[in-house]
Amino acid sequence: MEPILGQSYGYGFAVGLGAAFALVMVFITKMLAKYMGQHQNSERFTTASRSVKAGLISSATVSAWTWPATLLSSGAWSYAHGISGGYFYAVGGALEVTLFMFLAIQIKRRAPAAHTIPEIFHFRFGKWGHIVFLCYCMATNVLTSALLLLGGSQAFAVTTGMHTVAASFLLPLGVIVYTALGGLKATFVSDWIHTVIIYCIILVMIFYIFCSSPLIGSPSRMYDLLVEAQELIPAPGDSYLSFRDKDMNFLAWSVTLGNMCSVFGDPGYAQRAIASDARSVFEGYLMGGLCWWIIPMALGSSAGLACRALLNNPASVTYPNPLTDFEVDAGLPVIYGMTAIFGKSGAAAALAMLFMSVTSATSAELIAFSSIATYDLYRTYFKPDATGKQLVRAAHAFVVGFGIFMAALATVLNYVGVTVGWLLSFVGLS
């Protein structure tokens, strides 16, 4: 298929928008240092002075958990299985973040001076317990990072014709810059901006699809189109309007278990608990889990279902054919559904959301890996007497090094032929 958009869109988002965000974050970091005295040191880089309020904690939780897989797979599940797809993805993902709230509360109660969660394991279980958990944390960082850039690079490549290698290396470039310079506080600010943009696009999309679109325009019309879609290509279960789908239930169970590991094994979520004000942990994580639930549920129930409902309409990107297995596994129903409804501007809006999710979640992974590598490897086993300046330099080096590693890993997985849907299922099984 011909790309929906030109390569200029892909490079414009990856390079232009990425550079703009990097410059804005660097400017904010400089202003905080100049007028609020928040000069960068090892404590502030890793913990943001442990004073972040509930609003930023919730937006950062939403942002860190809004992977490209959240945007793409929720729509793919709804396209393939109907209304149950987005619902099961949303419930399965919100559960883990809400449960993590209790661990976050205990971190603030029992280890308020900790820098990372493996550091707590070191005090509790000693050297070998620390090393084992550190390996799990790093493995989670690697798998999560692969999911982020794999989903982003494949969607950019298919939608704009941009080369997957270029997308893999250019998408995280701006993130590496502002994360290395601004630390955890910069990621909180950027997370808030990214989350607001994603919600604005989703709100416009939902109201247009179900209220004023000439192709759908109402929930009853969507219902009728899904009934027609069932006659054209039967759903795996009873229908696209039913929850009686064994394949969907097994898939949701597998991914829910995988997400449990992704949250509890990813040091990035604990990093937000460590950075938060003690009174803000409960409210921040609870609001974050509830607000995150809206994103996959809304995308699956609008763009994902629209892609299925309009397959027999010339507005469909693949008309008169259904999507191929690769297109579904790559999570393209969301982009195709928005294109069918809005035209090329819909594809551009989908790419904007995807760019926001890739960059915000990538910043969370970068700062998480940098923190554990600095405090749990460098300071614990290699240089216990490291000064604050040495720790900051090490943190900068780990941010840059892990960013390059993420891009290289995504490139390898692209050439091997792995899709975001396959890797999401693999995380659950492993």
Side-chain angles (χ1 to χ4, degrees), residues 58 74 87 105 130 147 180 197-198 222 225 258 316 336 362 427:
S58 61
S74 59
Y87 174 81
I105 292 171
H130 176 246
L147 264 173
I197 294 173
I198 289 174
M222 175 70 84
L225 289 172
S316 173
Y336 287 0
T362 297
V427 170

Side-chain angles (χ1 to χ4, degrees), residues 3-315:
I4 302 170
L5 303 171
Q7 290 191 20
S8 58
Y9 281 89
Y11 288 100
F13 278 115
V15 179
L17 196 56
F21 264 101
L23 290 174
V24 169
M25 290 301 106
V26 170
F27 175 76
I28 291 174
T29 301
K30 296 293 184 184
M31 292 300 100
L32 290 174
K34 182 175 181 180
Y35 295 105
M36 300 186 67
Q38 297 186 10
H39 297 283
Q40 202 61 265
N41 55 42
S42 59
E43 283 290 319
R44 186 166 285 116
F45 186 91
T46 305
T47 67
S49 301
R50 298 183 174 88
S51 59
V52 181
K53 302 300 182 183
L56 281 181
I57 292 295
S58 61
S59 66
T61 301
V62 172
S63 185
W65 201 212
T66 305
W67 301 348
T70 302
L71 306 180
L72 300 176
S73 294
S74 59
W77 286 18
S78 295
Y79 169 86
H81 301 276
I83 61 173
S84 63
Y87 174 81
F88 276 123
Y89 194 102
V91 170
L95 175 66
E96 292 87 353
V97 176
T98 307
L99 290 176
F100 188 83
M101 170 184 66
F102 298 103
L103 177 58
I105 292 171
Q106 293 303 317
I107 290 174
K108 296 303 291 185
R109 287 185 66 241
R110 298 176 180 270
H115 299 91
T116 66
I117 192 169
E119 193 176 64
I120 301 172
F121 268 71
H122 194 197
F123 282 102
R124 177 64 179 84
F125 298 105
K127 176 181 177 180
W128 293 110
H130 176 246
I131 291 174
V132 169
F133 187 70
L134 189 58
C135 290
Y136 275 110
C137 287
M138 289 185 168
T140 305
N141 275 141
V142 170
L143 285 173
T144 302
S145 302
L147 264 173
L148 298 179
L149 286 185
L150 189 67
S153 61
Q154 288 181 351
F156 266 72
V158 173
T159 308
T160 68
M162 184 180 183
H163 200 285
T164 53
V165 176
S168 298
F169 279 89
L170 291 176
L171 284 173
L173 184 58
V175 187
I176 294 172
V177 173
Y178 72 72
T179 303
L181 294 178
L184 187 59
K185 189 60 175 285
T187 69
F188 278 118
V189 176
S190 66
D191 288 346
W192 184 86
I193 297 173
H194 292 162
T195 304
V196 168
I197 294 173
I198 289 174
Y199 274 116
C200 288
I201 294 174
I202 288 176
L203 285 171
V204 171
M205 176 184 64
I206 291 175
F207 281 109
Y208 186 76
I209 288 176
F210 287 102
C211 297
S212 57
S213 169
L215 299 177
I216 299 177
S218 68
S220 61
R221 178 58 179 161
M222 175 70 84
Y223 181 95
D224 294 338
L225 289 172
L226 291 176
V227 171
E228 295 175 11
Q230 173 68 19
E231 299 176 358
L232 182 66
I233 303 175
D238 289 355
S239 75
Y240 294 109
L241 299 163
S242 168
F243 280 77
R244 292 190 294 269
D245 186 338
K246 291 182 179 179
D247 292 342
M248 183 70 262
N249 290 329
F250 282 124
L251 179 59
W253 177 248
S254 169
V255 173
T256 299
L257 290 178
N259 287 342
M260 195 77 73
C261 303
S262 299
V263 171
F264 283 84
D266 190 336
Y269 297 93
Q271 210 65 37
R272 280 151 175 73
I274 291 169
S276 68
D277 178 77
R279 294 167 295 182
S280 304
V281 175
F282 176 82
E283 183 182 356
Y285 276 89
L286 183 60
M287 286 196 305
L290 293 175
C291 293
W292 179 88
W293 181 88
I294 296 170
I295 295 177
M297 182 65 187
L299 276 173
S301 301
S302 54
L305 290 182
C307 185
R308 170 61 69 182
L310 297 175
L311 275 183
N312 205 30
N313 191 303

